[in-house]
Amino acid sequence: MTDFSAKRRPQHGAGQDSIDQSLLERIAAGERPALHELYVNYYQRLLRFLYRITGQLELAQEGINDVMLVVWEKGHTFTGRSTVSTWIMGIAYRKGLKLREKSKRWSDRFKAADIDDWNEPFLPSEKPTDEVIMQDLLARALRQLSPEQRAVVELTYFHGYSYQEISAIAGCPVNTVKTRMFHARAKLRTLLPKLGADGPYK
């Protein structure tokens, strides 16, 4: 059994939030280099998260630009009631859902490549490792969840957010987050064995 929970990568601790707040203050003061630094710091996690929601690489990349534009224009409105990371991921969540809804109005002819690991993309000439195979199976299973359910799983297992933080990101009650996770786990328990995989979604 592969323990997908080991893939969690919390990136929003107190130390990181202090750095993010400093960058946001500089952004609010109109410093473009600070925006670029924040963009670099968040690019990978935003790309992965937005891809999970939209299912399309091009939309995910477009979403990153949309998120950073909001950060640039609205950075001065950040109140500190949450971490900067939670605030930014909340913007990304809303932008991702809007982009996905918008894409439904276009032809299904335009579909993005199926990419799951942004840092080390699998090349056909390489022999797939067990880890790559399991990541592919998990990605296939996650695509069968609703965008809201995928977001909860992604934020919990791959970004290390608590239900309380996800509640702030998604703009819904904690109980709604728990319900989405309950249904997501139920679906994954059914889907993963059929795909030849297993995970901690119990």
Side-chain angles (χ1 to χ4, degrees), residues 39-181:
Y39 173 88
V40 171
N41 291 346
Y42 275 83
Y43 181 83
Q44 291 294 338
R45 74 185 92 168
L46 284 174
L47 186 63
R48 179 187 180 103
F49 179 57
L50 285 165
Y51 177 74
R52 287 293 193 208
I53 294 177
T54 65
Q56 297 188 35
L57 179 57
E58 290 183 359
L59 288 180
Q61 292 171 327
E62 180 181 343
I64 293 174
N65 292 334
D66 290 345
V67 170
M68 287 299 145
L69 180 60
V70 173
V71 171
W72 175 252
E73 294 180 341
K74 303 293 184 181
H76 65 282
T77 67
F78 177 72
T79 62
R81 296 176 62 182
S82 68
T83 63
V84 174
S85 173
T86 298
W87 182 67
I88 291 176
M89 296 302 278
I91 297 170
Y93 178 78
R94 294 186 291 275
K95 291 294 183 181
L97 290 180
K98 287 182 180 179
L99 285 170
R100 186 178 185 279
E101 184 61 30
K102 178 182 176 181
S103 72
K104 288 182 179 180
R105 296 193 290 267
W106 294 86
S107 172
D108 289 337
R109 293 175 300 171
F110 304 103
K111 292 186 178 180
D114 179 16
I115 299 174
D116 186 60
D117 189 340
W118 307 108
N119 294 316
E120 298 178 0
F122 168 64
L123 301 176
S125 60
E126 298 176 346
K127 181 179 179 180
T129 63
D130 289 343
E131 181 178 0
V132 170
I133 292 173
M134 294 305 294
Q135 288 176 349
D136 177 66
L137 292 173
L138 178 58
R140 288 164 57 191
L142 287 173
R143 283 198 298 272
Q144 298 186 53
L145 303 180
S146 71
E148 292 81 6
Q149 291 169 348
R150 284 201 303 271
V152 171
V153 172
E154 177 73 18
L155 290 169
T156 300
Y157 287 98
F158 295 93
H159 295 274
Y161 286 96
S162 67
Y163 285 167
Q164 190 70 40
E165 290 171 318
I166 297 173
S167 169
I169 289 171
C172 64
V174 173
N175 283 340
T176 299
V177 174
K178 292 179 179 179
T179 298
R180 290 174 181 174
M181 178 61 84

